[in-house]
Amino acid sequence: MNSLTRYAPLAARILLAAMFLPAGLMKLGDVAGFAGYVTSGGLPAFLAWPAILFEIALGASMLLGYRARWMGLAGAGFCLATGLLYHFHPADQVQMTMLFKNLGVAAGFLMVFAHGAGALALDKS
């Protein structure tokens, strides 16, 4: 049981990275299209680049376990903000499911913030 709890944070970080690293990299293929999506949430289009770079940095941070606590906190905030801005549509069941997915991912990031990167990480805390 001890080895399971030792490597669970690593597994969680890999799963979080698998969500954010490819998403950020794919957005590089259509920055203008993503900028249009950013404006649909009421934000200015110029925030597309920072959002893309943040997703890539967040995914890399989780994968490597580098600055994992602070990136976990930032990732939780990112998931909450994007969930509320882009998926809070109570009349649309699919969008509400996406909102709750964002809330669950935010919870995972908060666990990284609270407990650190775990085993096999660049962070030593």
Side-chain angles (χ1 to χ4, degrees), residues 53-100:
L53 295 175
F54 178 74
E55 284 189 358
I56 294 169
L58 181 61
S61 171
M62 291 299 111
L63 187 62
L64 299 172
Y66 180 71
R67 303 280 187 219
R69 284 183 187 264
W70 292 111
M71 288 300 280
L73 184 61
F78 183 81
C79 289
L80 291 173
T82 56
L84 292 172
L85 286 171
Y86 297 97
H87 302 301
F88 183 71
H89 302 286
D92 186 338
Q93 183 178 0
V94 172
Q95 289 301 316
M96 291 305 288
T97 298
M98 296 298 287
L99 171 65
F100 290 121

Side-chain angles (χ1 to χ4, degrees), residues 15-64:
L15 293 172
L16 289 167
M19 188 174 191
F20 283 87
L21 197 53
L25 292 172
M26 286 188 288
K27 287 178 178 92
L28 289 174
D30 185 15
V31 176
F34 179 61
Y37 183 69
V38 168
T39 62
S40 75
L43 297 175
F46 76 85
L47 290 178
W49 273 108
I52 291 168
L53 295 175
F54 178 74
E55 284 189 358
I56 294 169
L58 181 61
S61 171
M62 291 299 111
L63 187 62
L64 299 172

